[in-house]
Amino acid sequence: MIALNHDQIVHLIERSKEYMLEEVILHYYNEKSETAFVIIGTSSLHLKKEAYNQLLTILKDFLSVYLEFLPRFKNFMGIGNLELHQSRERYKMMTITSAEWDFLIHYAAQNDLDNSNNNPFYFSSNPNYLIAINSENPIIVFTLSPLFEHDRVTLLWHLPHKHDRKFIEDNKVWTAQRTLSWVLQLLESIKRARKVEKEQSKARGSLFSRIRNRLR
């Protein structure tokens, strides 16, 4: 039995654009015994020539169909315009400052399981990841991790587990685009709060100045 995940399938598709599929998967072929030693993903097996040719036919058909439906998958997951980061399981969602990442982690820590307050999801986090978990079901709503680059942080959005992707349809699991909208709104609310705080601080300073001037 051969089991391939999304990462391995896309790798085969991309490699097949440059090389024959036979070159991509065939590791060794014994002319004398007409036996092929094949490596596909994490699976390896020995096949007789007829079985090997059948495998090639099936695999080519499968990759063709997968490639046809890949745009629909990307649209469904909200990752159509996002850049891959090494593994196909993670996508570069947006870039923020280190201070904004620290804020997101602080926000998550304040809204963990013990402080969920009947919110639709709560957080599990540390400086290296942020996971939102559905409050009603043990389902991960979204997962973010940081890619640190000096004082900037690229947020990496993780593909949901394949068994959880069906929950996107009823909003229990979020797409990359919905996660992005939530992060942007949260960060914008903080900017507004800080702006109000500065204006209030400035107003208090102005009031104190007027009072001080009157007392002189």
Side-chain angles (χ1 to χ4, degrees), residues 72-191:
R72 301 185 193 181
F73 173 78
K74 289 184 175 180
N75 182 62
F76 180 72
M77 302 304 302
I79 57 176
N81 298 320
L82 301 185
E83 180 185 351
L84 297 172
H85 175 65
Q86 297 178 355
S87 167
R88 275 70 180 180
E89 300 298 320
R90 298 184 295 171
Y91 291 81
K92 294 181 178 181
M93 192 178 75
M94 65 179 296
T95 300
I96 60 177
T97 65
S98 296
E100 288 174 324
W101 171 250
D102 291 340
F103 165 74
L104 290 177
I105 293 299
H106 179 68
Y107 179 88
Q110 291 183 318
N111 294 272
D112 59 11
L113 178 59
D114 295 330
N115 300 288
S116 58
N117 297 319
N118 296 319
N119 290 328
F121 56 85
Y122 62 91
F123 294 96
S124 174
S125 64
N126 66 33
N128 295 312
Y129 71 82
L130 187 155
I131 300 175
I133 303 171
N134 189 286
S135 297
E136 297 180 356
N137 303 281
I139 303 171
I140 294 177
V141 180
F142 63 82
T143 301
L144 297 175
S145 61
L147 178 61
F148 295 102
E149 300 170 315
H150 303 296
D151 63 336
R152 307 293 291 177
V153 177
T154 298
L155 294 184
L156 302 178
W157 182 84
H158 297 227
L159 273 177
H161 191 278
K162 61 182 179 180
H163 297 302
D164 293 339
R165 294 170 191 171
K166 60 184 178 182
F167 295 110
I168 287 178
E169 296 178 344
D170 55 14
N171 297 322
K172 292 180 180 178
V173 174
W174 287 7
T175 64
Q177 288 302 316
R178 184 170 182 183
T179 306
L180 174 61
S181 296
W182 178 85
V183 172
L184 289 173
Q185 290 175 7
L186 181 59
L187 293 178
E188 183 59 32
S189 69
I190 292 304
K191 291 179 181 178

Side-chain angles (χ1 to χ4, degrees), residues 29-81:
Y29 186 78
N30 189 318
E31 292 285 352
K32 185 176 181 180
S33 63
E34 294 189 334
T35 302
F37 175 53
V38 181
I39 297 178
I40 306 178
T42 56
S43 303
S44 60
L45 58 161
H46 292 271
L47 296 173
K48 286 293 186 179
K49 186 174 184 178
E50 183 178 354
Y52 171 68
N53 290 333
Q54 291 175 350
L55 173 64
L56 278 179
T57 300
I58 294 171
L59 190 56
K60 286 178 181 177
D61 289 342
F62 172 78
L63 294 179
S64 176
V65 173
Y66 200 93
L67 184 59
E68 178 184 347
F69 281 85
L70 191 56
R72 301 185 193 181
F73 173 78
K74 289 184 175 180
N75 182 62
F76 180 72
M77 302 304 302
I79 57 176
N81 298 320

Side-chain angles (χ1 to χ4, degrees), residues 3-16:
L4 297 172
N5 58 31
H6 174 70
D7 189 6
Q8 294 164 337
I9 294 170
V10 173
H11 174 75
L12 284 175
I13 291 173
E14 292 178 349
R15 293 279 292 170
S16 297

